[in-house]
Amino acid sequence: MNIKKVEIIEFTDPVCTWCWGSEPLLRKLETRYGDQVEIKYIMGGLVRDIRDFYDSYNDIGGDPERSNSQIAKHWLEASERHGMPVKSEGFTLFTDEYPSSYPQNIAYKAAQMENQQLADKFLRRIREASASEARQTNKKEVLVELASEVGLDIAKFLERLSDGSAEAAFKEDLKTTYKYGVRGFPTFLIKYGKKEMLMRSYQSYESFKSIIDTISSGEVKDEIPNNTEKDILDFIEKYERVAPIEIMLSFDMNESETNTLIKKLEENNQCRTVQAGNGYYIEVIVRPMSCDQATGVCRV
C-alpha cells in the first residue's frame, strides 16, 4: 500500500537566522508526525554578494565588516525570539574575499549528490558553525572540515565542488525558488499528493498543523509524545546534539522542567552540555569506542 506523505519543503539558506530559528519547529514536526512527514530543502541563495546586498529593515549590506556587525546584532535579537544559540563575539561571516553565502548553498548540493541523510546533517552543522560558533563557513577549508565531521566522502565532495556539478544543481534550486516567487527565507511549501500550499517566513507549529489538517483532509494526524527521561534521551541521541528549546518545543515542556531534566541527565553521566554563544547544546555521552556505521567514525 502506497501511503502518501506530507512533504515540507523549506526554501532556505544555510546562514539565514530565521531558518536557524526554525530548526526546533522542524524537529517538533518530525517528532509529532514521524514517518508521515518528509522534510526537504531547496537552496535559495540569500546573499550573492554582501557588497551589492541590502536589507533595509535591519540595515545590513554594503561593506562586509560593517555588515558583520549588523548581522551579529540582528541574529542576537532574533535569538531572543526563536531561542537557538548565537555567538556574536568574533563574528565574521563576510569579507571582501568571501562576500557570498553561495559557497554554503553549493556545498549542500555537493553533499546531497552523495547521501541525503548526511547532507541534512551537514546543513545542520553549517548552521551551527555559522550561528553559534561564529565560524566563516563560506571558506572552503571550513566547509571541508564540517563535511568530514558528518562523514561525507571528502574526495567526492571536493570533486563535485570543482567540476561544476554542485553549482549546476544549486542553479536548478534557484530556478525552483524563482518559480514559486520566493524572495524571503524561510519559505515553506507543504505538499500532499497533488495539493500544495505556500507559507512565508518563520511560522508556529500551530500554523503547520492547521495546514497539514487542511491539505490532508484530516488524514494526517500528529501524536503528542511521552516526555519520559528515556523518550527525551532517545530524542537527543537521534539528533546527536540539540538546543534546550528543541526539547521544550517538541515535548511541550517549560524551561524549568527542561533544565531539571538536563541536570538529571548530566548527573547520571548520560549527557553533557556544550557552551555555544549565548546558549548551549545537550549531547549524549557516547561510550568508549562506539562506532557509527553511517559515518565510519569511532568516538571516545
Side-chain angles (χ1 to χ4, degrees):
M1 182 178 178
N2 186 23
I3 301 174
K4 286 189 290 186
K5 290 187 177 186
V6 173
E7 287 183 64
I8 299 173
I9 301 166
E10 181 185 289
F11 292 89
T12 190
D13 184 285
V15 301
C16 164
T17 190
W18 289 108
C19 299
W20 176 229
S22 295
E23 291 283 287
L25 165 69
L26 296 179
R27 290 187 167 181
K28 181 170 184 174
L29 286 164
E30 289 178 330
T31 302
R32 298 296 178 94
Y33 286 97
D35 292 339
Q36 297 178 101
V37 300
E38 184 175 7
I39 294 170
K40 299 179 179 180
Y41 303 95
I42 291 177
M43 296 294 110
L46 179 61
V47 180
R48 186 189 64 80
D49 189 320
I50 193 67
R51 296 166 297 189
D52 301 326
F53 176 92
Y54 190 62
D55 171 359
S56 59
Y57 188 81
N58 295 294
D59 192 24
I60 295 170
D63 176 69
E65 186 174 344
R66 179 185 173 279
S67 293
N68 288 330
S69 175
Q70 290 298 102
I71 292 168
K73 178 184 175 184
H74 169 52
W75 284 17
L76 278 174
E77 291 170 351
S79 176
E80 292 178 7
R81 180 177 169 194
H82 60 57
M84 292 295 279
V86 166
K87 182 180 179 182
S88 59
E89 183 181 351
F91 185 91
T92 306
L93 187 57
F94 298 110
T95 62
D96 281 318
E97 188 178 359
Y98 299 97
S100 178
S101 70
Y102 278 23
Q104 294 95 320
N105 289 256
I106 294 168
Y108 173 79
K109 299 307 293 184
Q112 189 179 41
M113 294 166 77
E114 177 184 338
N115 180 291
Q116 184 63 61
Q117 184 179 1
L118 293 182
D120 291 345
K121 287 178 70 174
F122 179 50
L123 176 60
R124 170 70 180 216
R125 271 305 286 135
I126 298 175
R127 295 200 202 281
E128 289 175 351
S130 302
S132 66
E133 300 167 20
R135 297 176 69 182
Q136 194 173 349
T137 54
N138 47 16
K139 286 185 173 181
K140 183 180 283 188
E141 56 266 35
V142 175
L143 290 167
V144 168
E145 183 179 337
L146 299 176
S148 178
E149 284 181 23
V150 303
L152 286 163
D153 185 314
I154 297 305
K156 292 178 181 177
F157 178 73
L158 286 170
E159 182 181 350
R160 289 169 181 137
L161 290 181
S162 63
D163 68 9
S165 58
E167 184 174 4
F170 170 51
K171 288 179 179 177
E172 289 302 311
D173 274 17
L174 289 180
K175 288 180 183 177
T176 305
T177 302
Y178 298 147
K179 172 188 171 183
Y180 280 94
V182 174
R183 297 181 61 84
F185 308 112
T187 292
F188 299 95
L189 179 65
I190 299 93
K191 300 176 72 172
Y192 186 73
K194 295 182 179 180
K195 298 178 184 177
E196 60 182 42
M197 296 180 70
L198 202 65
M199 280 201 304
R200 301 181 189 277
S201 76
Y202 177 78
Q203 295 288 339
S204 68
Y205 177 79
E206 289 69 30
S207 296
F208 273 91
K209 186 177 185 303
S210 295
I211 284 190
I212 291 171
D213 287 345
T214 299
I215 205 169
S216 73
S217 300
E219 292 179 10
V220 178
K221 300 182 184 297
D222 65 344
E223 184 176 337
I224 299 175
N226 296 321
N227 62 355
T228 67
E229 187 176 314
K230 180 184 182 305
D231 290 310
I232 293 169
L233 194 60
D234 287 345
F235 175 84
I236 300 169
E237 191 168 26
K238 175 184 177 181
Y239 293 110
E240 299 180 7
R241 169 187 283 185
V242 303
I245 187 64
E246 296 180 291
I247 296 173
M248 291 169 61
L249 198 63
S250 291
F251 293 91
D252 288 343
M253 296 170 66
N254 62 39
E255 187 174 0
S256 176
E257 292 170 332
T258 304
N259 289 339
T260 299
L261 175 74
I262 292 169
K263 185 177 179 181
K264 185 177 180 182
L265 293 174
E266 281 190 292
E267 288 173 348
N268 292 340
N269 203 31
Q270 293 171 293
C271 289
R272 60 171 164 254
T273 57
V274 179
Q275 190 66 34
N278 64 348
Y280 65 94
Y281 297 112
I282 308 101
E283 299 178 341
V284 170
I285 294 177
V286 182
R287 298 308 167 196
M289 291 308 295
S290 174
C291 296
D292 187 329
Q293 295 295 327
T295 63
V297 174
C298 291
R299 297 181 174 86
V300 295

